[in-house]
Amino acid sequence: MRDPYDILGVKRSASEAEIKSAFRRLAKNLHPDRNQDDPKAKERFAEASAAYEILGDRARREQFDRGAIDADGKPRNYGFGRSDAGFGAADGGFNFRGGRGDIDDILSEILGARGRAGRRPPERGADVVGTVTATLEEIAAGARPRVSLPGGRTLEVTLPRGVEPGERVRLRGQGEPGHHGGAAGDAIITVEFAPHRRFTVEGQDVRLDLPVTLDEAVLGARVRVPTLEGAVELRIPPNTSGGRTFRLREKGLPTREGGRGDLLATVRIVLPAEGDPRLDAVMEAWRAAGRYSARDRDFG
């Protein structure tokens, strides 16, 4: 290897600042990232880096100047069967890494993270995907259902207000870890609604079929109606026809605006499954007395 002073183009009396400036200038011009098609530039960059590892480190520069190490940074042997006894462990030993950390800092200043010698650029971790199935009760209560991710990891998912089936929620930094100092990926969770035995969903409203008996529909009644947060009482007025829908305000799902949807309860008149002779007798007498028509003349 040539003399490191000649490689950097500085005098032997050069200051530390002059040596550092000379290497910075060479590194900027010769770095492989900027000369990918010039093998000679790569060779000169490696040569300049090796020279600076000696001259950029005060102790190693002193060792080179007094002949304790050669231009490759190797200890000189003076024929006594070992290296110069004056430059052994008591002198801190030979630091073959020399100015490596300083070189990294200089290259980072010039080229950013990609310029760090021997270091790959940061790589972001991969995203992972999963599906969480939430009940309507959990959504209404703002609960945090758990989702299982690849690898067996589980997380709690905070569902946004107004979430809809099939919507995707991104959990920042919960994916695969990054490489070489890169950020972790994200977990992308698809939200599904668990089927409910009573309710169906329409946007942020929920629908319910409300079974009532014939006498409740004719005479009126107060009936218990299930909601996502417990049962409430609903007044059924007299002469309520089947199919009539009652709106229970803010008993539905949360909305994005901060409110709640409604619960829509539709009356379904239910007759005895096995029939009832007493009901039959009442209906026969009522029909004989002249029943009303449920269909107008043009119905068909």
Side-chain angles (χ1 to χ4, degrees):
M1 181 174 172
R2 295 190 296 135
D3 187 293
Y5 287 102
D6 293 339
I7 294 171
L8 297 183
V10 296
K11 297 179 180 179
R12 290 185 173 271
S13 60
S15 67
E16 292 181 7
E18 290 173 329
I19 291 172
K20 187 172 185 178
S21 177
F23 173 69
R24 182 184 285 110
R25 181 175 60 254
L26 288 172
K28 185 174 182 179
N29 294 330
L30 300 175
H31 194 279
D33 280 3
R34 296 186 173 182
N35 300 274
Q36 297 184 11
D37 299 325
D38 185 356
K40 291 185 178 180
K42 298 177 183 179
E43 293 173 6
R44 290 183 61 197
F45 173 78
E47 189 179 49
S49 297
Y52 187 68
E53 285 196 5
I54 293 175
L55 300 186
D57 184 287
R58 182 180 300 176
R60 298 195 75 200
R61 182 183 179 185
E62 291 176 356
Q63 291 167 357
F64 175 78
D65 287 345
R66 66 192 181 210
I69 58 175
D70 62 17
D72 289 322
K74 298 177 181 178
R76 293 183 185 275
N77 190 306
Y78 293 103
F80 300 108
R82 59 185 179 86
S83 299
D84 182 0
F87 309 114
D91 194 35
F94 294 111
N95 177 8
F96 294 113
R97 284 185 54 79
R100 178 79 269 164
D102 195 24
I103 290 177
D104 284 351
D105 292 340
I106 291 172
L107 296 182
S108 292
E109 292 175 12
I110 298 171
L111 300 171
R114 288 186 60 85
R116 288 187 175 270
R119 183 176 298 179
R120 295 177 62 183
E123 295 179 12
R124 182 180 179 275
D127 293 338
V128 297
V129 297
T131 300
V132 63
T133 301
T135 67
L136 299 184
E137 287 84 357
E138 287 175 328
I139 297 168
R144 302 176 65 190
R146 298 193 70 86
V147 60
S148 295
L149 298 178
R153 190 159 55 103
T154 63
L155 293 174
E156 288 186 343
V157 182
T158 299
L159 301 178
R161 293 186 64 90
V163 66
E164 297 180 359
E167 186 172 337
R168 296 194 300 176
V169 178
R170 182 179 294 270
L171 306 180
R172 301 286 182 185
Q174 296 296 335
E176 297 291 341
H179 304 285
H180 316 297
D186 301 335
I188 302 173
I189 309 301
T190 300
V191 181
E192 299 293 349
F193 288 9
H196 202 285
R197 66 189 184 92
R198 288 197 180 103
F199 302 109
T200 57
V201 177
E202 291 184 1
Q204 306 320 119
D205 294 337
V206 292
R207 280 194 173 272
L208 165 74
D209 281 345
L210 178 62
V212 299
T213 61
L214 180 60
D215 61 294
E216 289 172 334
V218 172
L219 303 176
R222 290 188 175 273
V223 299
R224 300 281 288 174
V225 179
T227 76
L228 296 173
E229 297 168 316
V232 298
E233 191 174 81
L234 173 67
R235 178 179 173 272
I236 303 294
N239 298 319
T240 293
S241 296
R244 180 175 178 178
T245 297
F246 295 90
R247 183 180 295 272
L248 283 70
R249 300 287 182 183
E250 297 193 343
K251 294 298 182 181
L253 298 175
T255 66
R256 298 189 190 277
E257 294 75 22
R260 294 282 295 269
D262 301 332
L263 187 151
L264 306 175
T266 299
V267 171
R268 304 298 181 198
I269 298 174
V270 179
L271 299 178
E274 303 299 329
D276 187 327
R278 294 170 299 177
L279 179 60
D280 292 344
V282 170
M283 291 296 102
E284 289 289 351
W286 183 67
R287 176 183 291 178
R291 61 181 175 84
Y292 72 102
S293 175
R295 298 166 295 281
D296 60 32
R297 187 172 301 173
D298 299 328
F299 188 78

